[in-house]
Amino acid sequence: MANDENHNRPHEDHCSFCGQPRSEVGVLFTGSNGAQICDQCIERGYDMLAESERIQEQSAPQIEMDELLKPAEIKAFLDQYVIGQDAAKRYMSVAVYNHYKRLMHAQGTDRDIDIDKSNIVMVGQTGTGKTLLARTIAKLLNVPFTIVDATVLTEAGYVGEDVESILSRLLQVADYDVALAERGIVFIDEIDKIARKDDNPSITRDVSGEGVQQALLKILEGTVVNVPPQGGRKHPDQKFIQVNTANILFICGGAFDGIEKKIAQRLNTQAVGYGQLQRERVDKQNLMQYILPQDLKSFGLIPELIGRMPVLTYLEPLDRDALRRILTEPKNSIIKQYVELFKLDGIKLTFEPAVLDYIVDKATEYKLGARGLRSICESIMMDSMFELPSQRTRKNFRVTLAYAKGKIETDKFRKLKAVG
């Protein structure tokens, strides 16, 4: 009886690959020569192609020793953009060089000795150049590099971003090439903002503090992390990309505002006793140079996190001479940027030397660091940038000391001075 039903059923098209009839598949595509393929076979073929491409992409470009820039060459490049901060630049140059050597060592067959990575934490007042160092080194590298902000991170389950979103940014920079991202460098800015608010562990959740530090531990040390491709919050139906962080170098930076008090307390405690007379005199104007890991612990970072960032360096506070050089010497100095802006309008911009000294004096007075230089320059140049482009006959503009003082010494800046 069943054979009679099949014999009487009208002819039905079948997939040329899997043999399923049209009634049992979603869509059946017909080629020019009569061959047919169903949507399920197309999906399987696509998955096979994607897997094949993924396997091929796992072999990231090889790193050769001859191609590596030596630490002195890396520092020479940083010197073109960053004024001073020799200690921090030396640490950064060595860290990047060793990172490349670790990757090269991992490529080899003789791997009797595993080389551990040395994550870095940079401590320095706001405006001393932490982020500038990171952005400058990114211009030089041929591995993926990204800068993320720790202030947006929260514990899993709370409003904000999970720590895994750090790796989402790195994946985006690497065009989602997992093998390439797994040898990248991540700069985590504002790391001090996730410090514990006091020394005593809290019985309640510290959403943006200790909990985030604990979540960072596994990423910094090296483990396989499930990363949401687009970043943001995790949800159950989301597909994840697995990223191994064992070869990702992490550089952390933070102002650690108020840590000088912790350093001063420690130095004062150590100075008590018979050894006091033999101790070197402490430079009270630059206490940051005496920083130790235990000061980070006193500030609110948990010991486990400090242990995963073994290299600790500091950025010196900028004195008047450094600020003066920052105005004019780097390749992308503030003054050169304004000259270029006016040049696009066909106007030759010049500054009296006394104006530059005046800008530096004000930045020092307001204690705003290098960022303060741009704020003051903007206030001096704002009116001219508004008016001069409309004056088509104007070909030259010279900023005099009297003009600069007239723009700065207003009610707004008197209030800023009071706050500073």
Side-chain angles (χ1 to χ4, degrees), residues 9 23 43 45 61 74 79 102 127 133 149 199 220 238 247 259 287 345 369 374 378 380 383 400 405:
R9 181 186 296 174
S23 59
E43 283 187 20
I74 297 173
D79 287 338
R102 284 184 66 252
L133 267 175
D149 197 328
D199 255 351
L220 292 179
Q238 194 174 20
N247 287 325
I259 199 169
L287 287 173
D345 285 318
R374 178 167 288 279
E378 282 288 326
I380 293 173
D383 289 340
T400 64
K405 284 185 175 181

Side-chain angles (χ1 to χ4, degrees), residues 54-225:
R54 189 187 69 80
I55 293 172
Q56 291 176 7
E57 287 175 354
Q58 292 300 316
S59 56
Q62 295 279 312
I63 295 176
E64 301 296 336
M65 190 68 186
D66 295 340
E67 300 173 357
L68 294 187
L69 288 175
K70 304 300 185 285
E73 296 170 332
I74 297 173
K75 182 181 178 297
F77 178 82
L78 292 174
D79 287 338
Q80 298 178 39
Y81 296 90
V82 184
I83 297 298
Q85 310 300 0
D86 284 340
K89 285 189 283 192
R90 289 168 72 93
Y91 273 105
M92 182 81 81
S93 302
V94 170
V96 171
Y97 181 63
N98 285 344
H99 180 62
Y100 279 113
K101 287 199 294 185
R102 284 184 66 252
L103 297 176
M104 191 177 63
H105 177 74
Q107 294 170 176
T109 54
D110 183 16
R111 295 180 56 190
D112 293 337
I113 299 176
D114 290 331
I115 303 176
D116 293 331
K117 63 179 177 179
S118 297
N119 298 320
I120 303 175
V121 56
M122 294 192 302
V123 180
Q125 297 174 2
T126 182
T128 51
K130 298 182 297 295
T131 310
L132 177 62
L133 267 175
R135 293 189 187 281
T136 304
I137 203 78
K139 298 177 183 178
L140 189 65
L141 303 180
N142 57 1
V143 294
F145 182 95
T146 187
I147 299 176
V148 296
D149 197 328
T151 56
V152 300
L153 303 176
T154 59
E155 275 193 74
Y158 290 86
V159 175
E161 293 190 14
D162 291 342
V163 292
E164 287 83 359
S165 64
I166 292 173
L167 301 177
S168 299
R169 310 274 177 84
L170 192 63
L171 275 173
Q172 291 165 10
V173 172
D175 291 329
Y176 293 93
D177 184 337
V178 176
L180 197 58
E182 287 179 346
R183 58 200 292 180
I185 299 176
V186 177
F187 180 79
I188 305 178
D189 205 0
E190 308 289 359
I191 193 71
D192 56 312
K193 302 305 185 292
I194 60 169
R196 208 161 47 198
K197 301 307 180 285
D198 53 45
D199 255 351
N200 300 319
S202 174
I203 59 171
T204 58
R205 289 279 188 180
D206 185 4
V207 175
S208 61
E210 185 179 351
V212 178
Q213 294 186 53
Q214 291 170 350
L216 278 172
L217 295 180
K218 61 177 183 177
I219 293 181
L220 292 179
E221 186 172 23
T223 187
V224 178
V225 181

Side-chain angles (χ1 to χ4, degrees), residues 209-331:
E210 185 179 351
V212 178
Q213 294 186 53
Q214 291 170 350
L216 278 172
L217 295 180
K218 61 177 183 177
I219 293 181
L220 292 179
E221 186 172 23
T223 187
V224 178
V225 181
N226 289 325
V227 181
Q230 306 303 324
R233 308 301 301 169
K234 291 181 176 178
H235 55 83
D237 299 329
Q238 194 174 20
K239 291 184 178 180
F240 296 107
I241 298 175
Q242 288 195 328
V243 177
N244 189 343
T245 65
N247 287 325
I248 297 176
L249 179 68
F250 290 89
I251 303 171
C252 302
F256 290 88
D257 187 32
I259 199 169
E260 291 94 341
K261 295 179 181 177
K262 308 286 186 185
I263 299 172
Q265 289 172 1
R266 175 175 55 80
L267 292 174
N268 186 52
T269 302
Q270 290 179 352
V272 174
Y274 292 107
Q276 181 178 3
L277 296 176
Q278 299 176 0
R279 292 180 55 81
E280 297 179 4
R281 292 186 62 84
V282 173
D283 181 5
K284 295 182 180 179
Q285 301 301 317
N286 184 13
L287 287 173
M288 204 70 80
Q289 63 184 302
Y290 306 109
I291 192 165
L292 292 176
Q294 64 198 74
D295 300 317
L296 300 181
K297 180 177 180 294
S298 300
F299 190 84
L301 294 188
I302 60 177
E304 299 92 331
L305 187 68
I306 298 169
R308 285 164 175 80
M309 299 183 293
V311 180
L312 172 60
T313 184
Y314 69 97
L315 281 82
E316 298 174 351
L318 298 173
D319 57 16
R320 190 184 182 285
D321 291 338
L323 290 173
R324 180 66 168 79
R325 293 176 61 200
I326 287 170
L327 262 184
T328 57
E329 288 187 16
K331 272 193 172 182

Side-chain angles (χ1 to χ4, degrees), residues 64 86 175 236 351 385 396 408 415:
E64 301 296 336
D86 284 340
D175 291 329
F351 289 83
M385 288 191 293
N396 294 282
I408 289 292
K415 292 175 183 175

